[in-house]
Short mmCIF file of all heavy atoms in Angstrom, two decimals:
data_model
loop_
_atom_site.label_atom_id
_atom_site.label_comp_id
_atom_site.label_asym_id
_atom_site.label_seq_id
_atom_site.Cartn_x
_atom_site.Cartn_y
_atom_site.Cartn_z
N VAL A 30 81.22 98.80 103.02
CA VAL A 30 81.59 99.24 104.36
C VAL A 30 83.08 98.98 104.54
O VAL A 30 83.55 97.86 104.32
CB VAL A 30 80.79 98.48 105.44
CG1 VAL A 30 81.23 98.91 106.83
CG2 VAL A 30 79.30 98.69 105.26
N ARG A 31 83.84 100.00 104.91
CA ARG A 31 85.26 99.82 105.21
C ARG A 31 85.40 99.64 106.71
O ARG A 31 84.86 100.42 107.49
CB ARG A 31 86.07 101.04 104.77
CG ARG A 31 86.17 101.14 103.26
CD ARG A 31 87.06 102.29 102.81
NE ARG A 31 88.40 102.13 103.34
CZ ARG A 31 89.15 103.14 103.81
NH1 ARG A 31 88.70 104.38 103.79
NH2 ARG A 31 90.36 102.92 104.27
N VAL A 32 86.10 98.58 107.10
CA VAL A 32 86.32 98.31 108.51
C VAL A 32 87.81 98.27 108.79
O VAL A 32 88.61 97.90 107.93
CB VAL A 32 85.67 96.97 108.95
CG1 VAL A 32 84.17 97.03 108.80
CG2 VAL A 32 86.24 95.80 108.20
N GLY A 33 88.17 98.66 109.98
CA GLY A 33 89.55 98.55 110.44
C GLY A 33 89.59 97.50 111.53
O GLY A 33 88.69 97.45 112.38
N ILE A 34 90.59 96.65 111.51
CA ILE A 34 90.71 95.59 112.50
C ILE A 34 92.05 95.74 113.21
O ILE A 34 93.11 95.71 112.58
CB ILE A 34 90.63 94.20 111.83
CG1 ILE A 34 89.30 94.08 111.08
CG2 ILE A 34 90.79 93.10 112.86
CD1 ILE A 34 89.19 92.88 110.18
N ASP A 35 91.98 95.94 114.51
CA ASP A 35 93.18 96.06 115.33
C ASP A 35 93.30 94.77 116.13
O ASP A 35 92.44 94.48 116.98
CB ASP A 35 93.05 97.27 116.26
CG ASP A 35 94.31 97.51 117.07
OD1 ASP A 35 95.39 97.02 116.67
OD2 ASP A 35 94.22 98.19 118.11
N ALA A 36 94.33 93.98 115.81
CA ALA A 36 94.52 92.69 116.47
C ALA A 36 96.01 92.43 116.63
O ALA A 36 96.81 92.93 115.84
CB ALA A 36 93.88 91.57 115.64
N PRO A 37 96.39 91.64 117.62
CA PRO A 37 97.80 91.29 117.77
C PRO A 37 98.28 90.47 116.57
O PRO A 37 97.49 89.81 115.90
CB PRO A 37 97.85 90.46 119.04
CG PRO A 37 96.47 90.31 119.54
CD PRO A 37 95.56 91.05 118.64
N ARG A 38 99.57 90.49 116.32
CA ARG A 38 100.13 89.74 115.19
C ARG A 38 99.88 88.25 115.30
O ARG A 38 99.85 87.53 114.30
CB ARG A 38 101.63 90.00 115.08
CG ARG A 38 101.95 91.39 114.61
CD ARG A 38 103.44 91.51 114.31
NE ARG A 38 103.79 92.84 113.92
CZ ARG A 38 103.77 93.29 112.67
NH1 ARG A 38 103.40 92.49 111.71
NH2 ARG A 38 104.11 94.53 112.40
N SER A 39 99.68 87.76 116.49
CA SER A 39 99.45 86.32 116.68
C SER A 39 98.05 85.89 116.24
O SER A 39 97.78 84.70 116.14
CB SER A 39 99.67 85.95 118.15
OG SER A 39 98.74 86.66 118.97
N VAL A 40 97.18 86.85 115.97
CA VAL A 40 95.82 86.54 115.53
C VAL A 40 95.75 86.70 114.01
O VAL A 40 96.02 87.77 113.48
CB VAL A 40 94.79 87.48 116.20
CG1 VAL A 40 93.39 87.24 115.65
CG2 VAL A 40 94.82 87.32 117.71
N ALA A 41 95.40 85.61 113.32
CA ALA A 41 95.28 85.66 111.86
C ALA A 41 93.98 86.36 111.48
O ALA A 41 92.92 86.04 112.01
CB ALA A 41 95.29 84.25 111.29
N VAL A 42 94.08 87.35 110.59
CA VAL A 42 92.91 88.05 110.08
C VAL A 42 92.95 87.92 108.57
O VAL A 42 93.87 88.41 107.92
CB VAL A 42 92.92 89.55 110.49
CG1 VAL A 42 91.71 90.27 109.92
CG2 VAL A 42 92.98 89.69 112.01
N ASN A 43 91.97 87.19 108.02
CA ASN A 43 91.94 86.92 106.58
C ASN A 43 90.55 87.17 106.03
O ASN A 43 89.55 87.02 106.73
CB ASN A 43 92.31 85.45 106.31
CG ASN A 43 93.70 85.13 106.76
OD1 ASN A 43 94.67 85.65 106.22
ND2 ASN A 43 93.83 84.28 107.76
N ARG A 44 90.49 87.49 104.74
CA ARG A 44 89.20 87.61 104.06
C ARG A 44 88.71 86.21 103.72
O ARG A 44 89.47 85.38 103.21
CB ARG A 44 89.35 88.44 102.78
CG ARG A 44 89.70 89.88 103.09
CD ARG A 44 89.85 90.79 101.91
NE ARG A 44 89.63 90.19 100.61
CZ ARG A 44 90.21 90.61 99.50
NH1 ARG A 44 91.07 91.60 99.54
NH2 ARG A 44 89.96 90.04 98.35
N ALA A 45 87.47 85.93 103.99
CA ALA A 45 86.90 84.58 103.81
C ALA A 45 87.03 84.10 102.37
O ALA A 45 87.35 82.94 102.12
CB ALA A 45 85.44 84.56 104.26
N GLU A 46 86.80 84.98 101.40
CA GLU A 46 86.86 84.55 100.00
C GLU A 46 88.27 84.16 99.58
O GLU A 46 88.46 83.28 98.74
CB GLU A 46 86.29 85.61 99.04
CG GLU A 46 87.07 86.89 98.95
CD GLU A 46 86.74 87.94 100.00
OE1 GLU A 46 86.06 87.63 100.99
OE2 GLU A 46 87.18 89.10 99.82
N LEU A 47 89.29 84.78 100.18
CA LEU A 47 90.67 84.39 99.87
C LEU A 47 91.01 83.03 100.47
O LEU A 47 91.72 82.23 99.86
CB LEU A 47 91.65 85.44 100.36
CG LEU A 47 91.58 86.79 99.65
CD1 LEU A 47 92.64 87.74 100.20
CD2 LEU A 47 91.75 86.63 98.15
N LEU A 48 90.49 82.75 101.67
CA LEU A 48 90.72 81.44 102.27
C LEU A 48 90.05 80.35 101.44
O LEU A 48 90.63 79.28 101.24
CB LEU A 48 90.18 81.42 103.70
CG LEU A 48 90.96 82.24 104.72
CD1 LEU A 48 90.28 82.20 106.08
CD2 LEU A 48 92.39 81.76 104.83
N ALA A 49 88.84 80.61 100.94
CA ALA A 49 88.15 79.63 100.10
C ALA A 49 88.91 79.40 98.80
O ALA A 49 89.06 78.25 98.34
CB ALA A 49 86.73 80.10 99.81
N GLU A 50 89.44 80.47 98.21
CA GLU A 50 90.22 80.34 96.97
C GLU A 50 91.51 79.56 97.22
O GLU A 50 91.89 78.71 96.42
CB GLU A 50 90.54 81.73 96.42
CG GLU A 50 91.27 81.72 95.10
CD GLU A 50 91.53 83.13 94.58
OE1 GLU A 50 90.69 84.02 94.78
OE2 GLU A 50 92.60 83.31 93.98
N LEU A 51 92.16 79.82 98.32
CA LEU A 51 93.39 79.12 98.67
C LEU A 51 93.11 77.63 98.89
O LEU A 51 93.86 76.78 98.41
CB LEU A 51 94.01 79.72 99.93
CG LEU A 51 95.29 79.07 100.43
CD1 LEU A 51 96.40 79.17 99.39
CD2 LEU A 51 95.72 79.71 101.73
N GLU A 52 92.02 77.32 99.57
CA GLU A 52 91.67 75.92 99.80
C GLU A 52 91.40 75.21 98.47
O GLU A 52 91.87 74.10 98.25
CB GLU A 52 90.43 75.83 100.69
CG GLU A 52 90.02 74.41 100.98
CD GLU A 52 88.79 74.32 101.87
OE1 GLU A 52 88.44 75.31 102.52
OE2 GLU A 52 88.17 73.24 101.90
N SER A 53 90.68 75.87 97.58
CA SER A 53 90.38 75.29 96.27
C SER A 53 91.66 75.06 95.47
O SER A 53 91.85 74.02 94.85
CB SER A 53 89.44 76.21 95.50
OG SER A 53 89.25 75.75 94.19
N SER A 54 92.55 76.03 95.50
CA SER A 54 93.83 75.93 94.79
C SER A 54 94.68 74.80 95.35
O SER A 54 95.29 74.04 94.61
CB SER A 54 94.57 77.26 94.90
OG SER A 54 95.84 77.17 94.32
N ASN A 55 94.69 74.66 96.66
CA ASN A 55 95.46 73.59 97.30
C ASN A 55 94.90 72.22 96.93
O ASN A 55 95.65 71.27 96.68
CB ASN A 55 95.48 73.75 98.82
CG ASN A 55 96.41 74.85 99.26
OD1 ASN A 55 97.27 75.30 98.50
ND2 ASN A 55 96.24 75.31 100.48
N GLN A 56 93.58 72.10 96.88
CA GLN A 56 92.97 70.83 96.50
C GLN A 56 93.31 70.48 95.05
O GLN A 56 93.60 69.32 94.74
CB GLN A 56 91.46 70.87 96.69
CG GLN A 56 91.04 70.80 98.14
CD GLN A 56 89.54 70.91 98.33
OE1 GLN A 56 88.81 71.21 97.40
NE2 GLN A 56 89.09 70.66 99.54
N ALA A 57 93.27 71.47 94.16
CA ALA A 57 93.60 71.23 92.76
C ALA A 57 95.07 70.81 92.61
O ALA A 57 95.40 69.92 91.83
CB ALA A 57 93.32 72.47 91.93
N ALA A 58 95.94 71.43 93.38
CA ALA A 58 97.37 71.11 93.30
C ALA A 58 97.66 69.72 93.87
O ALA A 58 98.58 69.04 93.43
CB ALA A 58 98.19 72.15 94.06
N ALA A 59 96.86 69.29 94.82
CA ALA A 59 97.07 67.99 95.44
C ALA A 59 96.45 66.85 94.64
O ALA A 59 96.69 65.69 94.93
CB ALA A 59 96.48 67.99 96.85
N SER A 60 95.67 67.17 93.61
CA SER A 60 95.03 66.15 92.79
C SER A 60 95.68 66.14 91.41
O SER A 60 95.38 66.99 90.58
CB SER A 60 93.53 66.47 92.65
OG SER A 60 92.92 66.52 93.91
N PRO A 61 96.57 65.20 91.15
CA PRO A 61 97.27 65.18 89.87
C PRO A 61 96.32 64.83 88.72
O PRO A 61 95.31 64.15 88.92
CB PRO A 61 98.33 64.10 90.05
CG PRO A 61 97.78 63.21 91.12
CD PRO A 61 96.96 64.10 92.01
N SER A 62 96.66 65.28 87.53
CA SER A 62 95.87 64.97 86.35
C SER A 62 96.04 63.49 86.00
O SER A 62 97.00 62.85 86.40
CB SER A 62 96.31 65.83 85.17
OG SER A 62 97.61 65.44 84.75
N GLU A 63 95.10 62.97 85.19
CA GLU A 63 95.19 61.57 84.77
C GLU A 63 96.46 61.35 83.95
O GLU A 63 97.09 60.29 84.05
CB GLU A 63 93.97 61.19 83.95
CG GLU A 63 92.70 61.09 84.78
CD GLU A 63 91.51 60.65 83.96
OE1 GLU A 63 91.69 59.96 82.95
OE2 GLU A 63 90.39 61.01 84.36
N GLU A 64 96.86 62.33 83.15
CA GLU A 64 98.07 62.22 82.35
C GLU A 64 99.30 62.10 83.24
O GLU A 64 100.20 61.30 82.95
CB GLU A 64 98.22 63.43 81.42
CG GLU A 64 97.16 63.52 80.35
CD GLU A 64 97.20 64.85 79.61
OE1 GLU A 64 98.07 65.68 79.91
OE2 GLU A 64 96.35 65.03 78.73
N ALA A 65 99.34 62.86 84.30
CA ALA A 65 100.49 62.81 85.21
C ALA A 65 100.56 61.44 85.90
O ALA A 65 101.65 60.88 86.05
CB ALA A 65 100.40 63.93 86.25
N VAL A 66 99.41 60.91 86.28
CA VAL A 66 99.38 59.60 86.93
C VAL A 66 99.84 58.53 85.95
O VAL A 66 100.65 57.66 86.29
CB VAL A 66 97.97 59.29 87.47
CG1 VAL A 66 97.88 57.85 87.96
CG2 VAL A 66 97.61 60.26 88.59
N ALA A 67 99.37 58.58 84.70
CA ALA A 67 99.77 57.60 83.69
C ALA A 67 101.26 57.69 83.40
O ALA A 67 101.95 56.67 83.28
CB ALA A 67 98.96 57.80 82.41
N SER A 68 101.76 58.89 83.30
CA SER A 68 103.18 59.10 83.03
C SER A 68 104.03 58.53 84.17
O SER A 68 105.04 57.86 83.94
CB SER A 68 103.46 60.58 82.85
OG SER A 68 104.84 60.81 82.69
N LEU A 69 103.60 58.78 85.39
CA LEU A 69 104.34 58.26 86.55
C LEU A 69 104.27 56.74 86.58
O LEU A 69 105.27 56.07 86.85
CB LEU A 69 103.77 58.84 87.84
CG LEU A 69 104.43 58.38 89.13
CD1 LEU A 69 105.91 58.72 89.13
CD2 LEU A 69 103.75 59.00 90.33
N ALA A 70 103.11 56.18 86.28
CA ALA A 70 102.97 54.72 86.27
C ALA A 70 103.90 54.10 85.24
O ALA A 70 104.55 53.08 85.51
CB ALA A 70 101.52 54.34 85.98
N GLN A 71 104.00 54.71 84.06
CA GLN A 71 104.91 54.20 83.03
C GLN A 71 106.36 54.30 83.49
O GLN A 71 107.14 53.38 83.29
CB GLN A 71 104.72 54.96 81.72
CG GLN A 71 103.45 54.59 81.00
CD GLN A 71 103.28 55.38 79.71
OE1 GLN A 71 103.98 56.37 79.49
NE2 GLN A 71 102.36 54.94 78.87
N ALA A 72 106.71 55.39 84.11
CA ALA A 72 108.07 55.58 84.59
C ALA A 72 108.43 54.55 85.66
O ALA A 72 109.53 54.01 85.68
CB ALA A 72 108.25 56.99 85.14
N LEU A 73 107.46 54.23 86.51
CA LEU A 73 107.72 53.25 87.56
C LEU A 73 107.84 51.84 86.99
O LEU A 73 108.51 50.99 87.58
CB LEU A 73 106.61 53.30 88.61
CG LEU A 73 106.59 54.57 89.46
CD1 LEU A 73 105.38 54.58 90.37
CD2 LEU A 73 107.87 54.69 90.27
N ARG A 74 107.22 51.59 85.85
CA ARG A 74 107.33 50.29 85.21
C ARG A 74 108.60 50.18 84.37
O ARG A 74 108.87 49.16 83.76
CB ARG A 74 106.12 50.03 84.32
CG ARG A 74 104.88 49.66 85.12
CD ARG A 74 103.78 49.28 84.19
NE ARG A 74 103.38 50.46 83.45
CZ ARG A 74 102.13 50.89 83.32
NH1 ARG A 74 101.16 50.20 83.82
NH2 ARG A 74 101.86 51.97 82.66
N GLY A 75 109.35 51.27 84.28
CA GLY A 75 110.61 51.26 83.55
C GLY A 75 110.49 51.61 82.09
O GLY A 75 111.46 51.52 81.36
N ARG A 76 109.32 52.01 81.65
CA ARG A 76 109.13 52.42 80.25
C ARG A 76 109.05 53.93 80.21
O ARG A 76 108.36 54.53 81.03
CB ARG A 76 107.84 51.83 79.69
CG ARG A 76 107.87 50.32 79.60
CD ARG A 76 106.69 49.78 78.85
NE ARG A 76 105.51 50.62 78.91
CZ ARG A 76 104.27 50.18 78.99
NH1 ARG A 76 104.04 48.89 79.03
NH2 ARG A 76 103.25 51.01 79.02
N PRO A 77 109.70 54.54 79.25
CA PRO A 77 109.59 55.99 79.14
C PRO A 77 108.19 56.40 78.71
O PRO A 77 107.54 55.70 77.95
CB PRO A 77 110.62 56.36 78.07
CG PRO A 77 110.85 55.11 77.30
CD PRO A 77 110.59 53.96 78.24
N ALA A 78 107.73 57.50 79.22
CA ALA A 78 106.42 58.03 78.85
C ALA A 78 106.51 58.64 77.47
O ALA A 78 107.55 59.13 77.05
CB ALA A 78 105.98 59.07 79.86
N ASN A 79 105.42 58.61 76.73
CA ASN A 79 105.38 59.25 75.41
C ASN A 79 105.36 60.75 75.60
O ASN A 79 104.55 61.27 76.36
CB ASN A 79 104.14 58.81 74.64
CG ASN A 79 104.19 57.36 74.26
OD1 ASN A 79 105.27 56.81 74.06
ND2 ASN A 79 103.04 56.73 74.18
N PRO A 80 106.23 61.48 74.93
CA PRO A 80 106.22 62.94 75.06
C PRO A 80 104.95 63.51 74.42
O PRO A 80 104.35 62.86 73.56
CB PRO A 80 107.47 63.38 74.30
CG PRO A 80 107.79 62.25 73.37
CD PRO A 80 107.27 61.00 74.03
N PRO A 81 104.54 64.72 74.83
CA PRO A 81 103.37 65.33 74.25
C PRO A 81 103.50 65.43 72.72
O PRO A 81 104.56 65.75 72.20
CB PRO A 81 103.33 66.73 74.88
CG PRO A 81 104.17 66.61 76.12
CD PRO A 81 105.18 65.54 75.84
#
Side-chain angles (χ1 to χ4, degrees):
V30 178
R31 289 184 59 220
V32 297
I34 302 169
D35 184 21
R38 289 189 183 271
S39 61
V40 175
V42 178
N43 298 294
R44 294 181 0 209
E46 66 274 13
L47 293 182
L48 289 177
E50 184 178 325
L51 179 61
E52 181 180 343
S53 173
S54 175
N55 285 344
Q56 286 177 350
S60 302
S62 69
E63 289 183 27
E64 293 171 2
V66 172
S68 176
L69 180 59
Q71 286 179 346
L73 291 174
R74 284 186 293 231
R76 295 189 333 217
N79 292 330

